[in-house]
Amino acid sequence: MNKQVISEPARTIPVRTSVDVLVVGGGPSGIIAAQAAAEDGAKVMLIESRSFVGGNLTIGLPILGFLGQKGNQIIKGLPQQLIDKLKARNAASEHRPCPLHMSLTLVEPESVKTVALETLVESGVEVLFYSFCAGVVMEGDELKGIIIESKAGREAILAKVIIDCSGDADVAHKAGVPCEYGNEQQGVQPPTLMFCLGGVDTEKLRLSIAEEPRTYLTDFIPAEYFGQNNQFVLVGMRNLIKKAQDAGLTLTTERTILITGLRKGEVWVNMTRVNGVNGTDPGSLTHGEIEGRKQIYDIQQYLIEYVPGFENAYFLKTAPFLGIRETRRIRGQYTMTREDIMSCAHFDDAVAVASYPLDIHHPQGGGCTLEWCGDCYDIPYRSLVPQKIKNLLVAGRCISTTHEAMSAIRVMAPCMAMGEAAGRAAKMALKDGVQPADIDVRKLQRELIEKGAYLREPVLESVNG
């Protein structure tokens, strides 16, 4: 279909500022990337389209992936420092082993916005809210900066190194980096609009599961787990969903997914599902928001009528935006695959370690596929380095992976670890006078380890040797 077009006259765009490192996107990877890049005094700026930092840390989800499948902590360094700051304000839990998700770290969304912003400001990062990346400034294959759009109009921000932490590869895509989208049929994992209920008797809920496991059957998580944990994630109760659907309620997922909040009586609900949403298109995103809100009514009714502990529950709040699981992924110097995940792959240029399973919410229908590798796998630096464009790094769920591999590395703790690697790499490239693609990765690995990050053997032995 041919779209109507107009011609926009050429115009002169003012340069707002020039920095050493520009981080685009203030989600889990962006916060850590900016902090790492600013550590030795470089001039660092972070831009964010919303009025707060935190991204998916602020929508009611627990952080998944700090612990590995063998129970050891595999994400440390700056991500752990952020958790420590939140814990000091009673806004984060410890890392809790989970039979399904490997580990859960509960965080208070509103506190994340404040603590993460304070951390950036204290680190010397200049933060600019309410600004979209609308274009790029190129000289050949070198990215000189980006064009932002805001209520002030169009402005340019020039930078020596740019880190794309947009989640959607916004900068990379605009700069001409080859990108992939979804699976072979261009299907992406559907998004979820999280919402929170108050007045839930979570003790009644967990004890009902522990004492009546045949009635309240959960996926993969044994009933004993609920007998031992006051705060938890619940996945399952498919039989109750089916019963409610047969009674006429519209429920678009096969599973009940609930996350207890840090505050007494609060439960976050991860059950809306809108298939076919393109997270890079505003019309499609708007449809997702409308449909997600519409689905909340029947989900809330289902919980009150069928799930123990929800009898007196009431609606508290909706997440500030739709939780997007998948959009674009860059083509980088190396593309992580399903085989890398399932074989617990080691890489010479490993800059992060992850352990979350392949977790694919099916682009069609309400199902989900989970597969575990049994241990950890490395994330290589080459997957953060895009093809074609110099002085650009990418961190977060849009690094270079296949559709299947992305389903494992997309959760927040690995994204934070990637952010630290990208931020330190950007700082190192500036200091050594080279492009990010050409840094000494051994030197980067050594700095990561010295600063408290976790890497595995044989990389550890090679760096120390």
PDB file of all heavy atoms in Angstrom, residues 125-139:
ATOM      1  N   VAL A 125      26.388  11.819  35.702  1.00  0.00           N
ATOM      2  CA  VAL A 125      25.702  11.662  34.421  1.00  0.00           C
ATOM      3  C   VAL A 125      24.676  12.779  34.260  1.00  0.00           C
ATOM      4  O   VAL A 125      23.892  13.044  35.175  1.00  0.00           O
ATOM      5  CB  VAL A 125      25.000  10.285  34.333  1.00  0.00           C
ATOM      6  CG1 VAL A 125      24.195  10.165  33.034  1.00  0.00           C
ATOM      7  CG2 VAL A 125      26.014   9.152  34.449  1.00  0.00           C
ATOM      8  N   GLU A 126      24.684  13.429  33.102  1.00  0.00           N
ATOM      9  CA  GLU A 126      23.643  14.414  32.792  1.00  0.00           C
ATOM     10  C   GLU A 126      22.450  13.670  32.215  1.00  0.00           C
ATOM     11  O   GLU A 126      22.583  12.961  31.214  1.00  0.00           O
ATOM     12  CB  GLU A 126      24.153  15.443  31.788  1.00  0.00           C
ATOM     13  CG  GLU A 126      23.139  16.533  31.489  1.00  0.00           C
ATOM     14  CD  GLU A 126      23.615  17.560  30.467  1.00  0.00           C
ATOM     15  OE1 GLU A 126      24.802  17.499  30.081  1.00  0.00           O
ATOM     16  OE2 GLU A 126      22.793  18.406  30.053  1.00  0.00           O
ATOM     17  N   VAL A 127      21.295  13.820  32.835  1.00  0.00           N
ATOM     18  CA  VAL A 127      20.086  13.117  32.403  1.00  0.00           C
ATOM     19  C   VAL A 127      19.157  14.104  31.703  1.00  0.00           C
ATOM     20  O   VAL A 127      18.949  15.223  32.187  1.00  0.00           O
ATOM     21  CB  VAL A 127      19.362  12.470  33.610  1.00  0.00           C
ATOM     22  CG1 VAL A 127      18.086  11.769  33.163  1.00  0.00           C
ATOM     23  CG2 VAL A 127      20.296  11.481  34.323  1.00  0.00           C
ATOM     24  N   LEU A 128      18.613  13.679  30.561  1.00  0.00           N
ATOM     25  CA  LEU A 128      17.661  14.502  29.828  1.00  0.00           C
ATOM     26  C   LEU A 128      16.404  13.678  29.558  1.00  0.00           C
ATOM     27  O   LEU A 128      16.438  12.705  28.802  1.00  0.00           O
ATOM     28  CB  LEU A 128      18.266  14.985  28.503  1.00  0.00           C
ATOM     29  CG  LEU A 128      17.403  15.947  27.677  1.00  0.00           C
ATOM     30  CD1 LEU A 128      17.223  17.280  28.410  1.00  0.00           C
ATOM     31  CD2 LEU A 128      18.016  16.163  26.298  1.00  0.00           C
ATOM     32  N   PHE A 129      15.293  14.068  30.206  1.00  0.00           N
ATOM     33  CA  PHE A 129      14.020  13.381  30.021  1.00  0.00           C
ATOM     34  C   PHE A 129      13.223  13.996  28.858  1.00  0.00           C
ATOM     35  O   PHE A 129      13.615  15.007  28.278  1.00  0.00           O
ATOM     36  CB  PHE A 129      13.178  13.467  31.299  1.00  0.00           C
ATOM     37  CG  PHE A 129      13.706  12.647  32.443  1.00  0.00           C
ATOM     38  CD1 PHE A 129      13.822  13.196  33.729  1.00  0.00           C
ATOM     39  CD2 PHE A 129      14.073  11.327  32.269  1.00  0.00           C
ATOM     40  CE1 PHE A 129      14.290  12.440  34.789  1.00  0.00           C
ATOM     41  CE2 PHE A 129      14.541  10.555  33.324  1.00  0.00           C
ATOM     42  CZ  PHE A 129      14.653  11.123  34.590  1.00  0.00           C
ATOM     43  N   TYR A 130      12.103  13.368  28.555  1.00  0.00           N
ATOM     44  CA  TYR A 130      11.133  13.887  27.574  1.00  0.00           C
ATOM     45  C   TYR A 130      11.748  14.077  26.185  1.00  0.00           C
ATOM     46  O   TYR A 130      11.353  14.972  25.450  1.00  0.00           O
ATOM     47  CB  TYR A 130      10.540  15.226  28.044  1.00  0.00           C
ATOM     48  CG  TYR A 130       9.891  15.179  29.410  1.00  0.00           C
ATOM     49  CD1 TYR A 130      10.510  15.779  30.505  1.00  0.00           C
ATOM     50  CD2 TYR A 130       8.661  14.550  29.598  1.00  0.00           C
ATOM     51  CE1 TYR A 130       9.919  15.741  31.766  1.00  0.00           C
ATOM     52  CE2 TYR A 130       8.058  14.516  30.844  1.00  0.00           C
ATOM     53  CZ  TYR A 130       8.687  15.101  31.930  1.00  0.00           C
ATOM     54  OH  TYR A 130       8.095  15.065  33.173  1.00  0.00           O
ATOM     55  N   SER A 131      12.703  13.236  25.828  1.00  0.00           N
ATOM     56  CA  SER A 131      13.398  13.403  24.551  1.00  0.00           C
ATOM     57  C   SER A 131      13.478  12.071  23.804  1.00  0.00           C
ATOM     58  O   SER A 131      13.975  11.086  24.345  1.00  0.00           O
ATOM     59  CB  SER A 131      14.820  13.932  24.781  1.00  0.00           C
ATOM     60  OG  SER A 131      14.783  15.162  25.475  1.00  0.00           O
ATOM     61  N   PHE A 132      12.997  12.062  22.555  1.00  0.00           N
ATOM     62  CA  PHE A 132      13.047  10.883  21.697  1.00  0.00           C
ATOM     63  C   PHE A 132      14.243  10.956  20.757  1.00  0.00           C
ATOM     64  O   PHE A 132      14.608  12.044  20.290  1.00  0.00           O
ATOM     65  CB  PHE A 132      11.787  10.801  20.819  1.00  0.00           C
ATOM     66  CG  PHE A 132      10.608  10.200  21.503  1.00  0.00           C
ATOM     67  CD1 PHE A 132       9.693  11.001  22.156  1.00  0.00           C
ATOM     68  CD2 PHE A 132      10.400   8.828  21.488  1.00  0.00           C
ATOM     69  CE1 PHE A 132       8.590  10.456  22.789  1.00  0.00           C
ATOM     70  CE2 PHE A 132       9.300   8.268  22.111  1.00  0.00           C
ATOM     71  CZ  PHE A 132       8.386   9.086  22.765  1.00  0.00           C
ATOM     72  N   CYS A 133      14.823   9.826  20.450  1.00  0.00           N
ATOM     73  CA  CYS A 133      15.804   9.749  19.381  1.00  0.00           C
ATOM     74  C   CYS A 133      15.035   9.731  18.061  1.00  0.00           C
ATOM     75  O   CYS A 133      14.346   8.763  17.744  1.00  0.00           O
ATOM     76  CB  CYS A 133      16.657   8.487  19.505  1.00  0.00           C
ATOM     77  SG  CYS A 133      17.753   8.225  18.095  1.00  0.00           S
ATOM     78  N   ALA A 134      15.147  10.823  17.293  1.00  0.00           N
ATOM     79  CA  ALA A 134      14.375  10.967  16.063  1.00  0.00           C
ATOM     80  C   ALA A 134      15.216  10.748  14.811  1.00  0.00           C
ATOM     81  O   ALA A 134      14.681  10.652  13.704  1.00  0.00           O
ATOM     82  CB  ALA A 134      13.730  12.357  16.010  1.00  0.00           C
ATOM     83  N   GLY A 135      16.523  10.692  14.959  1.00  0.00           N
ATOM     84  CA  GLY A 135      17.391  10.523  13.803  1.00  0.00           C
ATOM     85  C   GLY A 135      18.836  10.432  14.237  1.00  0.00           C
ATOM     86  O   GLY A 135      19.147  10.456  15.436  1.00  0.00           O
ATOM     87  N   VAL A 136      19.728  10.307  13.259  1.00  0.00           N
ATOM     88  CA  VAL A 136      21.156  10.182  13.567  1.00  0.00           C
ATOM     89  C   VAL A 136      21.950  11.157  12.713  1.00  0.00           C
ATOM     90  O   VAL A 136      21.503  11.605  11.658  1.00  0.00           O
ATOM     91  CB  VAL A 136      21.670   8.743  13.319  1.00  0.00           C
ATOM     92  CG1 VAL A 136      21.062   7.776  14.327  1.00  0.00           C
ATOM     93  CG2 VAL A 136      21.368   8.293  11.895  1.00  0.00           C
ATOM     94  N   VAL A 137      23.147  11.502  13.197  1.00  0.00           N
ATOM     95  CA  VAL A 137      24.086  12.352  12.470  1.00  0.00           C
ATOM     96  C   VAL A 137      25.248  11.467  12.046  1.00  0.00           C
ATOM     97  O   VAL A 137      25.972  10.946  12.895  1.00  0.00           O
ATOM     98  CB  VAL A 137      24.589  13.510  13.363  1.00  0.00           C
ATOM     99  CG1 VAL A 137      25.528  14.412  12.573  1.00  0.00           C
ATOM    100  CG2 VAL A 137      23.420  14.305  13.939  1.00  0.00           C
ATOM    101  N   MET A 138      25.405  11.269  10.738  1.00  0.00           N
ATOM    102  CA  MET A 138      26.404  10.340  10.222  1.00  0.00           C
ATOM    103  C   MET A 138      27.450  11.065   9.375  1.00  0.00           C
ATOM    104  O   MET A 138      27.151  12.042   8.693  1.00  0.00           O
ATOM    105  CB  MET A 138      25.733   9.266   9.350  1.00  0.00           C
ATOM    106  CG  MET A 138      24.674   8.436  10.034  1.00  0.00           C
ATOM    107  SD  MET A 138      25.349   7.296  11.269  1.00  0.00           S
ATOM    108  CE  MET A 138      26.365   6.226  10.237  1.00  0.00           C
ATOM    109  N   GLU A 139      28.680  10.545   9.440  1.00  0.00           N
ATOM    110  CA  GLU A 139      29.727  10.889   8.479  1.00  0.00           C
ATOM    111  C   GLU A 139      30.307   9.578   7.994  1.00  0.00           C
ATOM    112  O   GLU A 139      31.078   8.923   8.691  1.00  0.00           O
ATOM    113  CB  GLU A 139      30.818  11.747   9.123  1.00  0.00           C
ATOM    114  CG  GLU A 139      30.487  13.218   9.210  1.00  0.00           C
ATOM    115  CD  GLU A 139      31.658  14.051   9.727  1.00  0.00           C
ATOM    116  OE1 GLU A 139      32.798  13.511   9.760  1.00  0.00           O
ATOM    117  OE2 GLU A 139      31.429  15.208  10.107  1.00  0.00           O
TER     118      GLU A 139
END
